[in-house]
Structures are given as C-alpha cells and as structure tokens.
Amino acid sequence: MALDGAMVSTRIMTVHRVALDVNKTQDELFSQCAGIARFSWNWALDRWKSQYSAHRADNALPKPNEAALRRELNAIKGTEYPWMLQAPKAVPQQAIKNLGAAFKGFFAGRARYPNFKAKDRCRESFRPDNGPGTFRIEGRRLKLPRIGWVRMREDLRFGPDREPALKSVTISREAGRWFAAIAVEINHSFTPRPDEEVLGVDLGVTDLATLSDGRKFAGPKSLGRNLKRLARLQRSHARKAKGGKNRARSRAKIAKLHARIRNIRQDGLHKLTTGLARKASAVVIEDLNVRGMMANRHLSRAISDMGFYEFRRQLSYKLERLGGALMVADRFYASSKICSACNTKAETLPLSVRSWTCANCGAQHDRDVNAAINLKNLAGSEDFAVRPVTACGAEGSGDGNDPVTKPAASKQELGSDQKRSSP
Ligand SMILES: [Zn+2]
C-alpha cells in the first residue's frame, strides 16, 4: 500500500452502459446477432459434450477447449451456416469464448454446469467487437463492425483528461430496449486514507448488511413491493391462453418489471458498497457458500434478492480503487456463535434467535452485530485465516455471461460501475 498522503495514479477498467436508439433495420439485425450468439453457444456446448465423452472413452482424443471449437466453427460456418455471415465475425467467436469462461467457472466450483440457451428464456445479447480498435465512438454515435453507426442516448461520460481507451462492447436487450455496455480503461487517482479503519460486515437475510459499528442496512424498500407485484403478474400470466395476444402482452409487462427490480437492487447495492469503500480501509466479510445455501429453497429467494455475489464484487473493486482491501474469513468460521466479548463459543444458536446472552460472561448480543464484530476482530488476529481478495479473484454474478469484465492491461483491477440509462 502507498504512503500516507501521496497521490496514487493507476489505470482501471470500468463499464458504461448506454441506451441505444435503433432503427427498424438495426433492431432486426441486433435480434439476428443475438440469435447467432445463442446458436453458437449451443452449438459449442453440444460439441463440448460429445468431445468430452469421446475423450473419456479414448484418452488419446483431446479434451474440448474453446479455442479449438472457435476454429472448428469458423471453418464450417460459410458452408454449413451461411446465414451466420450477416453478423460481425466476432459474434460467434465471443459467444464460444463465453462458454469457455462458463466452463472455467464451473471447474473452479463457483458456477453451475453451462446450460443450453432457450430462445424465450435467455437474455438477448451479443458481443460484436474483437477488442480495442474494432469499434469506435464519435460523440453520440457508436460504430460497430458490419453493423455500422448506431445512435447512443448519451455521450461516453469520461472526458479526455482520463484518457479513455475503448476495450469492448456488449449489446443486450432489456425489457424491449437495446443497450450497449462499453468497457473503458481510464486514468484513476486517489489519496490513500491516513488512518486505518477496519469494518466487519455480516451479510444477512433479515437485513442486507450489519456493520461492526452497529449500523444496519435493509435492502431497498420498494423491492418487496415490486416483488409482490411480480408474483401477481406471474399468476395472471399463467392463466392466459398460450399463443394469445394477452399472453404476449403480459410477458412484456413481466420483463419490464424484472428490469425495474434489477435496477432497484443494483442501485441499493451500489449505494451501500460505495459508502463502505469510502469509510473503511479494510472490510472483513464471511465467505458465504452461496451455492450451498441456494439448495435451501427457503433461504434461496431472499439471498438471490440480496445479491451477495454482486455485493462482494462491487465492494472488492471499489475498495481496491481507493487503496483499501476486502478480506474474506474462512467459510467455517463460526462468526455468529462466538461471543465477541469473551471469545466463548455458544453451543447452539438457531437462525431464528436474533439476540442472545453469553452463558460465560453475560454479555448481551444482537446476533448480527456480534457476528460483524467477530469478523472485524479477525483482521487483527493471527490464529485464523483471513484472505485478502482482489477484484479479479472475485466471483461474478454466476450467469457466466458477463464478457465485459476483463482485467485491465496495466493493473489487475476491474469493475463495472454501471450507469443505468433506462427510465
Ligand atoms: Zn461472553
């Protein structure tokens, strides 16, 4: 870490998300590109599976890998799938790269086995560029290979003093509208804090976050209201006749509400993680086994709503940008059961118990605050493993389809400081 008071300059990666104004031809072309990306993913997944079983039957045959699959598709697409040629050549390539990344996440134990993408169940998205120099921006116009100029709703927000360098662009449709997620490398400077302040943060289901200083953050209130509305819409959707006009209309309504819920959740998380990163020089959190908890159906809804992975991802890169550090406690550390006053471990403490009294020293504890204090204390202790994590090591949101988060060339930092442009 840098010396007190000295300004630190670095290059970081960030993502600007902009709504696009497309004409009818572009709208159709975008849909086709998203279809080609989906087809390429499914094609490669199918080949991956059969090549893997072939390899298991005969070890002399190679294991599947994404680079070989890209070459394979490239060699046959002109003759077998000529309709693919209308999309930028990067579209199928990047889709297969995404599949490779999804398998990497799976083998590392942080994501599920990749699935085939069904047309009506996956988000329409594709990446038309092959990296820096293959697309450009002039004012409010974005030039994509083969597709040409597309109008953006706003300028790229980074001025020339930050020397923005375009890295990649991902196009996706959300609730009927097209967006571009533009990954940009920019100059970033900060002055490290003179004093060290460590915070422990307990992530929960009742409250989104409880801090070791006693503060609690509930998730955004409007989230619950909108979730109830969503459940109602989904029930009425199920009653509508298949293939009918009403069903299509209610599907569009549901998609719109899903988008709103995502935005509310994202806003709440950004506010919380920004506040934490500004206040603390180090934050200690638990390594939650989210995949294990997801198997528990009662907890899973609340947890995915709270976005633990997203919380950790945002906090990690925001702390790093300000010279701070995120530390993760060992998964088996019993942060809730240990008395933060005398270090005695309580025998049992069911999830329903929100406050308790230590049998040894008589200290009264709020369950979550006590856990947060224990996590904070871990930062200074030598007898328990607390691992600092970097933004690059952090897990993604788990859908294996987030091609915009790549480490910057100069420094291993990243983040997607997404600016929502939807209404
Ligand atoms: Zn005690």
Side-chain angles (χ1 to χ4, degrees):
M1 209 169 283
L3 292 171
D4 293 352
M7 178 91 97
V8 176
S9 295
T10 180
R11 295 279 284 169
I12 58 164
M13 189 88 123
T14 189
V15 176
H16 188 185
R17 194 165 174 277
V18 204
L20 301 174
D21 274 329
V22 298
N23 60 37
K24 201 159 177 288
T25 318
Q26 289 171 335
D27 182 62
E28 279 162 13
L29 193 50
F30 278 9
S31 272
Q32 281 161 359
C33 287
I36 286 167
R38 191 169 47 82
F39 174 88
S40 309
W41 168 286
N42 289 340
W43 176 89
L45 178 54
D46 186 54
R47 294 290 298 144
W48 189 293
K49 287 180 170 179
S50 56
Q51 286 175 8
Y52 189 72
S53 12
H55 164 78
R56 286 195 55 178
D58 176 3
N59 276 338
L61 294 168
K63 277 186 189 169
N65 76 79
E66 59 95 8
L69 285 169
R70 279 189 280 138
R71 282 193 299 273
E72 196 182 327
L73 180 58
N74 217 17
I76 60 164
K77 72 173 185 186
T79 47
E80 301 260 325
Y81 315 113
W83 41 267
M84 273 192 153
L85 301 175
Q86 62 199 331
K89 63 177 187 296
V91 170
Q93 305 287 306
Q94 299 288 356
I96 297 176
K97 276 189 190 171
N98 286 350
L99 180 71
F103 268 111
K104 218 170 164 185
F106 169 72
F107 290 125
R110 56 171 191 262
R112 267 172 280 180
Y113 191 89
N115 281 327
F116 288 107
K117 290 182 190 289
K119 188 171 187 232
D120 53 345
R121 274 188 292 113
C122 84
R123 192 170 67 127
E124 284 183 280
S125 101
F126 63 96
R127 194 176 144 190
D129 73 294
N130 257 328
T134 59
F135 70 105
R136 68 195 160 102
I137 289 173
E138 278 175 18
R140 290 196 179 177
R141 297 194 310 161
L142 167 65
K143 193 178 189 193
L144 301 174
R146 203 161 290 186
I147 294 165
W149 290 103
V150 184
R151 274 168 52 200
M152 306 196 297
R153 277 286 170 91
E154 57 186 304
D155 298 314
L156 200 62
R157 81 185 111 135
F158 311 105
D161 55 316
R162 304 192 75 178
E163 295 170 41
L166 301 178
K167 293 289 171 184
S168 72
V169 56
T170 303
I171 309 289
S172 66
R173 174 135 66 183
E174 191 172 304
R177 288 177 69 192
W178 291 102
F179 291 85
I182 303 156
V184 191
E185 198 183 82
I186 50 166
N187 286 336
H188 173 73
S189 1
F190 63 94
T191 309
R193 287 169 215 74
D195 52 327
E196 297 274 307
E197 174 155 22
V198 180
L199 274 177
V201 179
D202 179 68
L203 296 173
V205 176
T206 321
D207 292 295
L208 171 54
T210 303
L211 312 190
S212 49
D213 62 12
R215 284 185 296 157
K216 295 189 173 217
F217 293 88
K221 280 200 186 71
S222 52
L223 192 59
R225 207 165 51 230
N226 282 296
L227 285 173
K228 270 185 200 143
R229 251 192 84 204
L230 181 65
R232 208 161 53 232
L233 278 179
Q234 279 167 338
R235 276 196 304 273
S236 90
H237 178 73
R239 285 194 299 269
K240 294 198 163 68
K242 282 212 171 117
K245 231 183 193 164
N246 282 330
R247 196 174 165 92
R249 208 173 289 146
S250 83
R251 181 180 300 129
K253 245 189 201 169
I254 287 172
K256 218 169 180 177
L257 189 55
H258 264 299
R260 186 183 301 156
I261 288 168
R262 247 198 316 278
N263 288 347
I264 294 170
R265 184 180 298 157
Q266 196 75 358
D267 276 355
L269 285 175
H270 271 303
K271 280 191 189 111
L272 174 60
T273 52
T274 299
L276 286 172
R278 284 204 182 125
K279 189 167 186 317
S281 53
V283 176
V284 188
I285 60 169
E286 249 174 318
D287 189 1
L288 287 160
N289 181 0
V290 176
R291 285 184 66 213
M293 288 170 106
M294 289 287 190
N296 176 340
R297 288 187 51 218
H298 297 295
L299 271 179
S300 64
R301 178 57 184 273
I303 288 167
S304 58
D305 288 344
M306 293 296 190
F308 285 170
Y309 269 127
E310 182 61 11
F311 172 86
R312 174 171 157 172
R313 188 186 70 81
Q314 288 181 12
L315 188 57
S316 175
Y317 80 77
K318 286 178 186 179
L319 277 165
E320 218 170 290
R321 280 180 189 183
L322 295 167
L326 179 68
M327 297 196 265
V328 176
D330 190 279
R331 184 165 296 173
F332 302 104
Y333 177 67
S335 62
S336 301
K337 288 185 190 167
I338 293 168
C339 168
S340 57
C342 74
N343 257 334
T344 305
K345 191 172 165 185
E347 286 300 306
T348 54
L349 197 63
L351 252 180
S352 56
V353 176
R354 305 311 307 165
S355 58
W356 57 288
T357 305
C358 173
N360 185 47
C361 73
Q364 298 198 340
H365 296 301
D366 171 284
R367 181 199 183 95
D368 298 339
V369 175
N370 178 62
I373 294 172
N374 280 328
L375 288 168
K376 176 192 169 174
N377 292 342
L378 279 184
S381 82
E382 283 170 9
D383 56 349
F384 213 94
V386 196
R387 293 172 285 118
V389 296
T390 60
C392 329
E395 279 92 338
S397 55
D399 61 2
N401 199 10
D402 192 10
V404 286
T405 47
K406 274 192 352 189
S410 54
K411 194 164 184 285
Q412 298 258 296
E413 274 185 289
L414 63 90
S416 62
D417 195 5
Q418 298 200 336
K419 181 172 176 184
R420 293 280 163 177
S421 310
S422 49

